[in-house]
Amino acid sequence: ILHLLFLLIITTTINSFSINSSSTMLTPRTSADISLEIKDPVDPTALTQSKAILSELRPNSSTNNDDSLSSSSCNPKALLSIAKRLGDIPAQDDSASYLVSKEQCQEAFDNLSQEEKQTLLNIHQRVKVFAEAQRKSVVDVSIEIPGGRAGHTVSPCRAAGCYAPGGRYPLPSSVLMTVVTARAAGCPYVVLASPRPAPITLAAAHVAGADIVLCVGGAQAIGCMAYGIEACDELGAAEVPACDVIVGPGNKWVTAAKSLVNGYCGIDMLAGPSEVLVIADHTADVEIVAADLIAQAEHDVVARAILVSTDVDVIVKVNAEVERQVDCLPEPNRSTAKEALTQSFSIVCKDMDECIAMSDKLAPEHLEIQTENSQEVADRCANYGGLFIGTHAAEVLGDYGAGPNHTLPTGGTGRYTGGLSVFNFLRIRTWMRIDNKKESQDMVEDSVRMARLEGLEGHARAAEARSLTLTPAYKKANNGSN
């Protein structure tokens, strides 16, 4: 009853504010309204369109229903035709290529101001240091087993494919986050794809060390990285190898295409709309909270900003501050953020335990803790993509290279997975060796017994063939027939 009374009071307070204010930017919701909404990140229409593009890229591929697993490479002329039709490359430019040379990337870097160059180099270094520390955290292992040894080896995949969005805003930070991480993992070959790359994107590709840059986007980019591109002397285009892993965020066609090639090659994740959740109490700086919510909202019209607080006054003040700050944004940022805020919301909770429970239920991509004893609160949170502890740990610092990767799980998937890291590019493969047949006999006998419990007689006989005391059943059967 007390809890229901509490909810009634806070709802009345927020609604009263809404009536007396021009608008409430964050829709008031209660904890009872909240449920984890696991939505399929793959748009059905985009999926159909992406299938058609992948088929067009490889006109000689198998025509069966599972041609996504066909081994044929992409046809360079088909790629050029698609790229021109979809606006990746100027349609009227007969000399246009889907490849960007290393010299062009170098030139883009050289043309930057000294401050811009240094920023790229600084971010590159911080991402590299963190990724290399991750790589060093997992090592080859070897242990004794009865009669021999077993272990695992850690090795990078051969070729990595990295996608960096173009679209509304160029994202050179995504180039650094993906390519640098692949390099730190030890991948010997890295392909980058980005549609209509801005000079700053090409400069980032130079700094990060991409081997090949494709100036195409959408499903066609994912297809090219998954299947590779044939060499074409007529176009003066070298072969592009198929990538073992493809990573990086993108639009709905990128996501759909990644879902189609997954299995033929590895992918990092199927990313949905970006999101931030801020847990704030009475100590929070409402200007900073509002700024962080807006920073997330300007990403995309489907982005989501969520405020969870124990203090109704904080939510009222943050709403007012969001309204003030968002109107100060330039276009198109202002319109994008305002549209995203229409699906954003706030929740007032009775205590910090409930705030944490709400956050864990939603498993946000970005989780900010702006409370008293923020580290203590952070330690109690279980589900999130990236965690930002304290007022000064802005999520935007994570976006721009504090070290940890900014490619993070969305839509509640932080319940079971994490963000992009060197581990996406590494293979941990196990091995075993038997050196002393006598010492391995307990394992042999256990294997024989377990195989027969599972009804796998062939397994049992293969184990018996290693036994020093048991006659394999296949020998008994042969002797009986003689």
Side-chain angles (χ1 to χ4, degrees):
I1 293 174
L2 289 175
H3 182 48
L4 290 174
L5 181 60
F6 173 78
L7 291 176
L8 178 62
I9 292 171
I10 61 173
T11 303
T12 302
T13 303
I14 296 175
N15 288 341
S16 174
F17 171 77
S18 303
I19 293 169
N20 296 320
S21 163
S22 59
S23 67
T24 298
M25 304 303 292
L26 302 172
T27 303
R29 298 177 68 178
T30 68
S31 57
D33 298 329
I34 302 304
S35 62
L36 177 60
E37 300 172 352
I38 301 295
K39 297 180 178 178
D40 187 348
V42 180
D43 179 84
T45 302
L47 184 66
T48 300
Q49 294 167 336
S50 295
K51 282 182 179 178
I53 289 171
L54 294 183
S55 295
E56 188 179 350
L57 280 171
R58 300 181 302 146
N60 298 322
S61 66
S62 166
T63 57
N64 62 43
N65 291 331
D66 197 23
D67 65 346
S68 63
L69 299 183
S70 171
S71 61
S72 65
S73 298
C74 296
N75 181 288
K77 292 183 178 179
L79 170 59
L80 196 60
S81 173
I82 294 169
K84 287 185 175 182
R85 185 175 76 240
L86 298 180
D88 289 340
I89 295 172
Q92 311 306 322
D93 188 351
D94 292 335
S95 64
S97 173
Y98 51 79
L99 292 169
V100 181
S101 69
K102 288 188 175 183
E103 291 74 22
Q104 288 172 289
C105 295
Q106 169 84 59
E107 182 182 4
F109 178 76
D110 291 342
N111 288 336
L112 296 178
S113 69
Q114 188 55 44
E115 291 81 4
E116 290 167 337
K117 290 179 182 177
Q118 194 59 53
T119 292
L120 285 180
L121 293 171
N122 289 345
I123 295 173
H124 171 273
Q125 180 63 16
R126 289 192 292 265
V127 174
K128 179 172 179 283
V129 167
F130 190 86
E132 287 179 342
Q134 286 183 319
R135 177 62 186 88
K136 291 175 183 176
S137 72
V138 57
V139 297
D140 292 355
V141 168
S142 176
I143 67 167
E144 289 186 0
I145 61 173
R149 298 193 70 80
H152 75 224
T153 59
V154 184
S155 60
C157 63
R158 180 186 62 88
C162 302
Y163 189 88
R168 187 177 285 107
Y169 311 109
L171 294 180
S173 57
S174 288
V175 175
L176 296 172
M177 290 287 178
T178 55
V179 176
V180 173
T181 304
R183 284 292 187 213
C187 297
Y189 203 87
V190 182
V191 178
L192 171 70
S194 186
R196 302 174 299 283
I200 187 65
T201 300
L202 298 180
H206 167 72
V207 171
D211 294 295
I212 284 183
V213 177
L214 300 170
C215 56
V216 296
Q220 58 272 28
I222 300 303
C224 290
M225 291 191 287
Y227 304 120
I229 310 173
E230 300 166 0
C232 182
D233 293 337
E234 183 180 339
L235 297 176
E239 178 185 7
V240 176
C243 296
D244 303 304
V245 178
I246 298 174
V247 304
N251 62 21
K252 59 185 178 180
W253 293 279
V254 169
T255 301
K258 285 171 75 174
S259 76
L260 291 169
V261 303
N262 186 26
Y264 182 81
C265 63
I267 64 169
D268 52 349
M269 65 189 78
L270 297 175
S274 192
E275 61 211 9
V276 67
L277 187 150
V278 180
I279 296 179
D281 65 7
H282 67 283
T283 67
D285 185 321
V286 296
E287 288 189 10
I288 288 178
V289 172
D292 289 354
L293 295 172
I294 291 169
Q296 195 63 37
E298 76 169 343
H299 264 293
D300 195 282
V301 294
V302 293
R304 193 162 66 161
I306 304 166
L307 174 60
V308 179
S309 180
T310 54
D311 193 319
V312 66
D313 192 48
V314 166
I315 289 183
V316 169
K317 290 178 179 177
V318 168
N319 264 297
E321 192 60 34
V322 167
E323 184 174 7
R324 184 184 71 81
Q325 290 187 31
V326 78
D327 281 333
C328 298
L329 284 176
E331 290 291 3
N333 309 61
R334 179 169 65 248
S335 296
T336 301
K338 282 190 170 183
E339 180 66 24
L341 286 167
T342 63
Q343 59 210 7
S344 299
F345 58 90
S346 62
I347 310 169
V348 182
C349 297
K350 66 180 186 297
D351 53 31
M352 193 53 63
D353 287 343
E354 189 176 20
C355 287
I356 294 169
M358 286 298 97
S359 175
D360 283 348
K361 181 181 287 189
L362 293 169
E365 177 188 11
H366 307 97
L367 173 59
E368 288 191 359
I369 311 296
Q370 297 197 33
T371 66
E372 192 174 29
N373 303 320
S374 56
Q375 184 64 60
E376 179 184 328
V377 173
D379 290 342
R380 295 165 58 196
C381 294
N383 300 333
Y384 49 82
L387 181 61
F388 305 85
I389 306 167
T391 301
H392 305 299
E395 185 268 320
V396 294
L397 299 183
D399 281 345
Y400 298 125
N405 209 284
H406 77 194
T407 305
L408 299 170
T410 63
T413 56
R415 294 176 301 114
Y416 58 82
T417 191
L420 179 66
S421 71
V422 295
F423 307 120
N424 291 93
F425 303 101
L426 297 177
R427 301 167 296 172
I428 299 179
R429 297 176 290 182
T430 60
W431 58 269
M432 58 167 281
R433 185 184 71 240
I434 299 298
D435 303 313
N436 189 315
K437 188 175 181 180
K438 182 178 180 181
E439 291 180 0
S440 71
Q441 289 306 295
D442 283 348
M443 281 198 306
V444 170
E445 292 178 9
D446 288 340
S447 297
V448 171
R449 192 171 297 111
M450 183 57 68
R452 290 202 167 110
L453 287 169
E454 293 187 348
L456 298 173
E457 183 60 28
H459 282 60
R461 295 181 183 193
E464 284 178 334
R466 273 82 174 177
S467 175
L468 294 176
T469 59
L470 300 172
T471 300
Y474 62 81
K475 287 187 176 180
K476 294 177 183 178
N478 289 339
N479 290 337
S481 65
N482 292 333

